[in-house]
Coordinates of all heavy atoms in Angstrom, one line a residue:
A1 N 0.8 -1.2 0.0 CA 0.0 0.0 0.0 C 0.9 1.2 0.0 O 1.9 1.3 0.7 CB -0.9 0.0 1.2
D2 N 0.4 2.3 -0.7 CA 1.2 3.5 -0.8 C 0.8 4.6 0.1 O 1.3 5.7 0.0 CB 1.2 4.0 -2.3 CG -0.2 4.4 -2.8 OD1 -1.1 4.3 -2.0 OD2 -0.3 4.7 -4.0
G3 N -0.2 4.4 0.9 CA -0.7 5.4 1.9 C -1.7 6.4 1.3 O -2.1 7.3 2.0
A4 N -2.1 6.2 0.0 CA -3.1 7.1 -0.6 C -4.5 6.7 0.0 O -4.7 5.6 0.4 CB -3.1 6.9 -2.1
V5 N -5.3 7.7 0.0 CA -6.7 7.6 0.4 C -7.7 7.8 -0.7 O -7.5 8.8 -1.4 CB -7.0 8.5 1.6 CG1 -8.5 8.4 2.0 CG2 -6.1 8.3 2.8
W6 N -8.6 6.9 -0.9 CA -9.6 7.0 -2.0 C -11.0 7.0 -1.3 O -11.2 6.3 -0.3 CB -9.5 5.9 -2.9 CG -8.2 5.8 -3.6 CD1 -7.0 5.5 -3.1 CD2 -7.9 6.2 -5.0 NE1 -6.0 5.6 -4.0 CE2 -6.5 6.0 -5.2 CE3 -8.7 6.6 -6.0 CZ2 -5.9 6.3 -6.4 CZ3 -8.1 6.9 -7.2 CH2 -6.8 6.7 -7.5
S7 N -12.0 7.7 -1.8 CA -13.3 7.7 -1.3 C -14.3 7.8 -2.4 O -14.0 8.3 -3.5 CB -13.5 8.8 -0.3 OG -13.4 10.1 -0.9
W8 N -15.5 7.3 -2.1 CA -16.6 7.4 -3.1 C -17.9 7.2 -2.3 O -18.0 6.8 -1.1 CB -16.5 6.3 -4.2 CG -16.5 4.9 -3.6 CD1 -17.6 4.1 -3.6 CD2 -15.4 4.2 -3.1 NE1 -17.2 2.8 -3.1 CE2 -15.8 2.9 -2.8 CE3 -14.0 4.5 -2.9 CZ2 -15.0 1.9 -2.2 CZ3 -13.2 3.5 -2.4 CH2 -13.7 2.3 -2.1
G9 N -19.0 7.6 -3.0 CA -20.4 7.5 -2.4 C -21.0 8.8 -2.2 O -20.6 9.8 -2.9
G10 N -21.9 9.0 -1.3 CA -22.5 10.3 -1.0 C -21.6 11.2 -0.4 O -20.8 10.9 0.5
G11 N -21.6 12.5 -0.8 CA -20.6 13.5 -0.3 C -21.2 14.5 0.6 O -20.5 15.5 0.8
S12 N -22.3 14.3 1.2 CA -22.9 15.3 2.1 C -22.0 15.7 3.2 O -21.2 14.9 3.7 CB -24.2 14.8 2.7 OG -24.0 13.7 3.4
H13 N -22.0 17.0 3.5 CA -21.2 17.6 4.6 C -19.7 17.5 4.3 O -18.9 17.7 5.2 CB -21.4 16.9 6.0 CG -22.9 16.8 6.3 ND1 -23.6 17.9 6.6 CD2 -23.7 15.8 6.3 CE1 -24.9 17.6 6.9 NE2 -25.0 16.3 6.7
G14 N -19.3 17.2 3.1 CA -17.9 17.1 2.7 C -17.2 15.9 3.3 O -16.0 15.8 3.3
K15 N -18.0 14.9 3.6 CA -17.4 13.7 4.3 C -16.5 12.8 3.4 O -15.7 12.0 4.0 CB -18.6 12.8 4.8 CG -19.4 12.2 3.8 CD -20.5 11.4 4.4 CE -21.5 10.9 3.4 NZ -22.7 10.3 4.0
L16 N -16.5 13.1 2.1 CA -15.5 12.3 1.3 C -14.2 12.9 1.2 O -13.2 12.3 0.8 CB -16.1 12.1 -0.1 CG -17.4 11.4 -0.2 CD1 -17.9 11.3 -1.7 CD2 -17.3 10.0 0.3
G17 N -14.0 14.2 1.6 CA -12.7 14.8 1.5 C -12.3 15.4 0.2 O -11.1 15.7 0.0
H18 N -13.3 15.7 -0.7 CA -12.9 16.2 -2.0 C -13.2 17.7 -2.1 O -13.1 18.3 -3.2 CB -13.7 15.5 -3.1 CG -13.4 14.0 -3.1 ND1 -12.1 13.5 -3.4 CD2 -14.2 12.9 -2.9 CE1 -12.2 12.2 -3.3 NE2 -13.4 11.8 -3.0
G19 N -13.5 18.4 -1.0 CA -13.7 19.8 -1.0 C -15.0 20.2 -1.5 O -15.2 21.4 -1.8
D20 N -15.9 19.3 -1.6 CA -17.3 19.6 -2.0 C -18.3 18.6 -1.4 O -17.9 17.9 -0.5 CB -17.4 19.6 -3.6 CG -17.0 18.2 -4.1 OD1 -17.2 17.2 -3.5 OD2 -16.5 18.2 -5.3
E21 N -19.5 18.7 -1.8 CA -20.5 17.8 -1.3 C -21.1 16.9 -2.4 O -22.2 16.4 -2.3 CB -21.6 18.6 -0.6 CG -21.1 19.3 0.7 CD -22.2 19.9 1.5 OE1 -23.4 19.5 1.4 OE2 -21.8 20.7 2.4
E22 N -20.3 16.7 -3.5 CA -20.8 16.0 -4.6 C -20.7 14.5 -4.4 O -19.8 14.0 -3.7 CB -20.0 16.3 -5.8 CG -20.0 17.7 -6.2 CD -21.4 18.2 -6.7 OE1 -22.0 17.5 -7.4 OE2 -21.8 19.3 -6.2
E23 N -21.7 13.7 -4.9 CA -21.6 12.3 -4.9 C -20.5 11.8 -5.9 O -20.3 12.4 -6.9 CB -23.0 11.7 -5.4 CG -23.1 10.2 -5.4 CD -24.4 9.7 -5.8 OE1 -25.2 10.5 -6.4 OE2 -24.7 8.5 -5.6
Q24 N -19.8 10.8 -5.4 CA -18.7 10.2 -6.3 C -19.1 8.8 -6.6 O -19.2 7.9 -5.7 CB -17.4 10.2 -5.6 CG -16.8 11.6 -5.3 CD -16.5 12.3 -6.6 OE1 -16.0 11.7 -7.6 NE2 -16.7 13.6 -6.7
L25 N -19.4 8.5 -7.8 CA -19.8 7.1 -8.2 C -18.7 6.2 -8.3 O -18.8 5.0 -8.2 CB -20.6 7.2 -9.5 CG -21.9 8.0 -9.5 CD1 -22.5 8.0 -10.9 CD2 -22.8 7.5 -8.4
L26 N -17.5 6.7 -8.6 CA -16.3 5.9 -8.7 C -15.2 6.3 -7.7 O -15.2 7.5 -7.3 CB -15.7 6.0 -10.1 CG -16.6 5.5 -11.3 CD1 -16.0 5.9 -12.6 CD2 -16.8 4.0 -11.2
P27 N -14.3 5.4 -7.2 CA -13.3 5.8 -6.3 C -12.5 7.0 -6.8 O -12.1 7.0 -8.0 CB -12.4 4.6 -6.2 CG -13.4 3.5 -6.5 CD -14.3 4.0 -7.6
K28 N -12.2 8.0 -6.0 CA -11.5 9.2 -6.3 C -10.5 9.5 -5.2 O -10.8 9.4 -4.0 CB -12.4 10.4 -6.5 CG -11.7 11.7 -6.8 CD -12.7 12.8 -7.0 CE -12.1 14.1 -7.3 NZ -13.0 15.2 -7.5
Q29 N -9.2 9.7 -5.6 CA -8.2 10.0 -4.6 C -8.5 11.3 -3.8 O -8.9 12.3 -4.4 CB -6.8 10.1 -5.2 CG -5.7 10.1 -4.2 CD -4.3 10.0 -4.8 OE1 -4.1 9.9 -6.0 NE2 -3.3 9.9 -3.9
V30 N -8.3 11.3 -2.5 CA -8.4 12.5 -1.7 C -7.1 13.3 -1.9 O -6.1 13.0 -1.3 CB -8.7 12.1 -0.2 CG1 -8.8 13.4 0.6 CG2 -9.9 11.3 -0.1
E31 N -7.2 14.3 -2.7 CA -6.0 15.1 -3.1 C -5.4 15.9 -1.9 O -4.2 16.1 -1.9 CB -6.4 16.0 -4.3 CG -6.7 15.3 -5.6 CD -5.6 14.6 -6.1 OE1 -4.4 15.0 -6.0 OE2 -5.8 13.5 -6.8
A32 N -6.2 16.3 -1.0 CA -5.7 17.0 0.2 C -4.8 16.2 1.0 O -4.0 16.8 1.8 CB -6.9 17.5 1.0
L33 N -4.8 14.9 0.9 CA -3.9 14.0 1.6 C -2.7 13.5 0.8 O -1.9 12.7 1.2 CB -4.7 12.8 2.2 CG -5.7 13.2 3.2 CD1 -6.5 12.0 3.6 CD2 -5.1 13.9 4.5
A34 N -2.6 14.0 -0.5 CA -1.5 13.5 -1.4 C -0.2 13.9 -0.7 O 0.0 15.0 -0.1 CB -1.6 14.2 -2.7
G35 N 0.7 13.0 -0.7 CA 2.0 13.2 -0.1 C 2.1 12.8 1.4 O 3.2 12.7 1.9
Q36 N 0.9 12.5 2.0 CA 0.9 12.1 3.3 C 0.8 10.5 3.3 O 0.2 10.0 2.5 CB -0.4 12.5 4.0 CG -0.5 14.0 4.1 CD 0.4 14.6 5.2 OE1 0.9 13.9 6.1 NE2 0.8 15.9 5.0
H37 N 1.6 9.9 4.2 CA 1.5 8.4 4.2 C 0.5 8.1 5.3 O 0.8 8.0 6.5 CB 2.9 7.8 4.5 CG 2.8 6.3 4.5 ND1 2.8 5.6 3.3 CD2 2.8 5.4 5.5 CE1 2.7 4.3 3.6 NE2 2.7 4.2 4.9
V38 N -0.7 7.8 4.8 CA -1.9 7.5 5.7 C -1.8 6.1 6.1 O -1.6 5.2 5.3 CB -3.2 7.9 5.1 CG1 -4.4 7.4 5.9 CG2 -3.3 9.4 4.8
V39 N -1.8 5.8 7.4 CA -1.7 4.4 7.9 C -3.0 3.9 8.4 O -3.2 2.6 8.5 CB -0.7 4.3 9.1 CG1 0.7 4.7 8.5 CG2 -1.0 5.2 10.2
A40 N -4.0 4.7 8.6 CA -5.4 4.2 9.0 C -6.4 5.3 8.6 O -6.2 6.5 8.6 CB -5.4 4.0 10.5
V41 N -7.6 4.8 8.2 CA -8.7 5.6 7.9 C -9.9 5.1 8.7 O -10.1 3.9 8.7 CB -9.0 5.6 6.4 CG1 -10.3 6.4 6.1 CG2 -7.9 6.2 5.6
L42 N -10.7 6.0 9.3 CA -11.9 5.6 10.0 C -13.0 6.5 9.5 O -12.8 7.7 9.2 CB -11.8 5.8 11.5 CG -10.7 4.9 12.1 CD1 -9.4 5.6 12.2 CD2 -11.2 4.4 13.5
T43 N -14.2 5.9 9.4 CA -15.3 6.7 8.9 C -16.5 6.6 9.8 O -16.7 5.5 10.4 CB -15.7 6.3 7.5 OG1 -16.1 4.9 7.5 CG2 -14.6 6.5 6.5
G44 N -17.3 7.6 9.9 CA -18.6 7.6 10.6 C -19.7 7.8 9.5 O -19.4 7.9 8.3
E45 N -20.9 8.0 10.0 CA -22.0 8.3 9.0 C -21.7 9.5 8.2 O -22.0 9.6 7.0 CB -23.3 8.3 9.7 CG -24.5 8.5 8.8 CD -25.8 8.5 9.5 OE1 -25.9 8.0 10.7 OE2 -26.8 8.9 8.9
D46 N -21.2 10.6 8.8 CA -21.1 11.9 8.2 C -19.7 12.5 8.3 O -19.6 13.7 8.1 CB -22.2 12.8 8.7 CG -23.6 12.5 8.2 OD1 -23.7 12.1 7.0 OD2 -24.5 12.5 8.9
H47 N -18.7 11.8 8.8 CA -17.4 12.3 9.0 C -16.3 11.2 8.8 O -16.7 10.1 8.7 CB -17.2 13.0 10.3 CG -17.5 12.1 11.5 ND1 -18.7 11.7 11.9 CD2 -16.6 11.4 12.3 CE1 -18.6 10.9 12.9 NE2 -17.4 10.7 13.2
S48 N -15.1 11.7 8.6 CA -14.0 10.8 8.3 C -12.7 11.2 9.1 O -12.6 12.4 9.4 CB -13.7 10.7 6.8 OG -14.8 10.3 6.1
L49 N -11.8 10.3 9.2 CA -10.6 10.6 9.9 C -9.5 9.8 9.2 O -9.6 8.7 8.9 CB -10.7 10.1 11.4 CG -9.4 10.2 12.3 CD1 -9.9 10.6 13.7 CD2 -8.6 9.0 12.2
A50 N -8.3 10.5 9.0 CA -7.1 9.8 8.5 C -6.0 10.0 9.5 O -5.8 11.1 10.0 CB -6.8 10.3 7.1
L51 N -5.2 8.9 9.7 CA -4.1 9.0 10.7 C -2.8 8.7 9.9 O -2.7 7.8 9.1 CB -4.3 7.9 11.7 CG -3.2 7.7 12.7 CD1 -3.1 8.9 13.7 CD2 -3.5 6.4 13.5
T52 N -1.8 9.6 10.1 CA -0.5 9.4 9.6 C 0.4 9.1 10.8 O 0.0 9.1 11.9 CB 0.0 10.7 8.8 OG1 0.3 11.7 9.7 CG2 -1.0 11.1 7.7
A53 N 1.7 9.0 10.5 CA 2.7 8.7 11.6 C 2.7 9.9 12.5 O 3.1 9.7 13.7 CB 4.0 8.4 11.0
G54 N 2.4 11.1 12.1 CA 2.6 12.3 12.9 C 1.4 13.2 13.0 O 1.5 14.3 13.7
A55 N 0.2 12.9 12.4 CA -0.9 13.8 12.4 C -2.2 13.0 12.3 O -2.3 11.9 11.8 CB -0.8 14.8 11.3
V56 N -3.3 13.7 12.7 CA -4.7 13.2 12.5 C -5.4 14.3 11.7 O -5.4 15.5 12.0 CB -5.4 13.0 13.9 CG1 -6.8 12.6 13.7 CG2 -4.6 12.0 14.7
F57 N -6.1 13.8 10.7 CA -6.9 14.7 9.8 C -8.4 14.3 10.0 O -8.7 13.1 9.9 CB -6.5 14.6 8.4 CG -5.0 15.0 8.1 CD1 -4.0 14.1 8.2 CD2 -4.7 16.3 7.8 CE1 -2.7 14.5 8.0 CE2 -3.4 16.7 7.6 CZ -2.4 15.8 7.6
T58 N -9.3 15.2 10.2 CA -10.7 14.9 10.2 C -11.5 15.9 9.3 O -11.1 17.0 9.1 CB -11.2 15.1 11.7 OG1 -11.0 16.4 12.2 CG2 -10.5 14.1 12.6
W59 N -12.6 15.4 8.8 CA -13.4 16.3 8.0 C -14.8 15.7 7.9 O -15.0 14.5 8.2 CB -12.8 16.4 6.6 CG -12.7 15.1 5.8 CD1 -13.6 14.5 4.9 CD2 -11.6 14.1 5.9 NE1 -13.1 13.3 4.5 CE2 -11.9 13.1 5.1 CE3 -10.4 14.1 6.6 CZ2 -11.1 12.0 4.9 CZ3 -9.6 13.0 6.5 CH2 -9.9 12.0 5.6
G60 N -15.8 16.5 7.5 CA -17.2 16.1 7.4 C -18.0 16.9 8.3 O -17.7 18.1 8.7
K61 N -19.1 16.3 8.8 CA -20.1 17.0 9.6 C -19.5 17.1 11.1 O -19.2 16.1 11.7 CB -21.4 16.2 9.7 CG -22.5 16.9 10.3 CD -23.8 16.2 10.1 CE -25.0 16.9 10.7 NZ -26.3 16.1 10.5
G62 N -19.4 18.3 11.6 CA -18.8 18.5 12.8 C -19.6 18.9 14.0 O -19.2 19.4 15.0
E63 N -20.9 18.5 13.9 CA -21.8 18.8 15.1 C -21.4 18.1 16.3 O -20.8 17.0 16.3 CB -23.2 18.6 14.7 CG -23.6 17.1 14.5 CD -25.1 17.0 14.2 OE1 -25.7 17.9 13.7 OE2 -25.5 15.9 14.3
R64 N -21.6 18.7 17.5 CA -21.3 18.2 18.8 C -19.8 17.8 18.9 O -19.4 17.0 19.7 CB -22.1 16.9 19.1 CG -23.6 17.3 19.3 CD -24.4 16.1 19.7 NE -24.4 15.0 18.8 CZ -25.2 14.8 17.7 NH1 -26.0 15.8 17.4 NH2 -25.1 13.8 17.0
G65 N -18.9 18.6 18.1 CA -17.5 18.4 18.3 C -16.9 17.1 17.8 O -15.7 16.8 18.1
C66 N -17.6 16.4 17.0 CA -17.1 15.0 16.6 C -15.8 15.1 15.7 O -15.1 14.1 15.6 CB -18.2 14.2 15.9 SG -18.6 14.9 14.2
L67 N -15.5 16.3 15.2 CA -14.2 16.3 14.4 C -13.0 16.6 15.3 O -11.9 16.5 14.8 CB -14.3 17.4 13.3 CG -15.4 17.2 12.3 CD1 -15.4 18.4 11.3 CD2 -15.2 15.9 11.5
G68 N -13.2 17.0 16.5 CA -12.1 17.3 17.4 C -11.5 18.7 17.2 O -10.3 18.9 17.6
H69 N -12.1 19.6 16.5 CA -11.5 20.9 16.2 C -11.9 21.9 17.2 O -11.5 23.1 17.0 CB -12.0 21.4 14.8 CG -11.5 20.5 13.7 ND1 -11.8 20.8 12.4 CD2 -10.9 19.3 13.6 CE1 -11.3 19.9 11.6 NE2 -10.7 19.0 12.3
G70 N -12.6 21.5 18.2 CA -13.0 22.5 19.2 C -14.1 23.4 18.8 O -14.3 24.5 19.3
E71 N -14.8 23.0 17.8 CA -15.9 23.9 17.2 C -17.1 23.0 16.8 O -16.9 21.7 16.7 CB -15.4 24.7 16.1 CG -14.8 23.9 15.0 CD -13.9 24.7 14.0 OE1 -13.3 25.6 14.5 OE2 -13.9 24.4 12.9
D72 N -18.2 23.5 16.5 CA -19.4 22.8 16.1 C -19.7 23.1 14.6 O -20.8 23.5 14.3 CB -20.5 23.1 17.0 CG -21.6 22.1 17.0 OD1 -21.3 20.9 16.7 OD2 -22.8 22.4 17.3
L73 N -18.7 22.9 13.7 CA -18.9 23.3 12.3 C -18.5 22.1 11.4 O -17.6 21.3 11.8 CB -18.0 24.5 12.0 CG -18.2 25.8 12.8 CD1 -17.1 26.8 12.4 CD2 -19.6 26.4 12.4
S74 N -19.1 22.1 10.3 CA -18.7 21.1 9.3 C -17.4 21.6 8.6 O -17.2 22.8 8.5 CB -19.8 20.8 8.3 OG -20.9 20.2 8.9
N75 N -16.6 20.7 8.2 CA -15.3 21.0 7.6 C -15.1 20.2 6.4 O -15.1 19.0 6.4 CB -14.2 20.8 8.7 CG -12.8 21.2 8.2 OD1 -12.7 22.2 7.5 ND2 -11.8 20.4 8.5
Q76 N -14.8 20.9 5.3 CA -14.4 20.2 4.1 C -12.9 20.2 4.0 O -12.2 21.2 4.2 CB -15.0 20.8 2.9 CG -16.5 20.7 2.8 CD -17.1 21.4 1.6 OE1 -16.4 21.8 0.7 NE2 -18.4 21.4 1.6
L77 N -12.3 19.0 3.8 CA -10.9 18.9 3.8 C -10.3 19.6 2.6 O -10.8 19.7 1.6 CB -10.5 17.4 3.7 CG -9.1 17.0 3.7 CD1 -8.5 17.3 5.1 CD2 -8.9 15.5 3.5

C-alpha cells in the first residue's frame, strides 16, 4: 500500500474529503492528503478521519465536536 486515500459514495457535509458535497460514483483519490503516508482511515456516517505517523486529519459533519476541532462546524478537507 502506498498510503493514498480514496473515497466514493454520497458526499454530504464534505465527508468524502474532496472539498465539495458531490456524490462520487467511482473511487477518487483524496487530493488534500496527497504526499501524506496515511496508515489508517476511519469513517462515521457523516465524517472521516485519517491517521499518519505524525498527524490526525478529520473532515465532514462537525456537530457536537465530533471532528475534534473544538468547534461545532462542518469542515471540508
Side-chain angles (χ1 to χ4, degrees):
D2 64 2
V5 176
W6 298 74
S7 64
W8 61 96
S12 61
H13 310 290
K15 66 184 174 187
L16 297 179
H18 300 298
D20 59 30
E21 295 189 16
E22 300 295 317
E23 179 178 16
Q24 293 294 322
L25 299 177
L26 299 171
K28 180 178 177 181
Q29 187 171 6
V30 178
E31 294 296 328
L33 297 173
Q36 299 287 336
H37 185 75
V38 175
V39 296
V41 175
L42 296 94
T43 61
E45 183 175 344
D46 289 318
H47 59 281
S48 302
L49 176 146
L51 177 67
T52 69
V56 176
F57 298 89
T58 61
W59 61 94
K61 189 174 183 179
E63 66 182 18
R64 295 186 298 278
C66 69
L67 297 179
H69 297 182
E71 56 198 34
D72 200 26
L73 302 171
S74 292
N75 184 39
Q76 294 181 4
L77 186 62

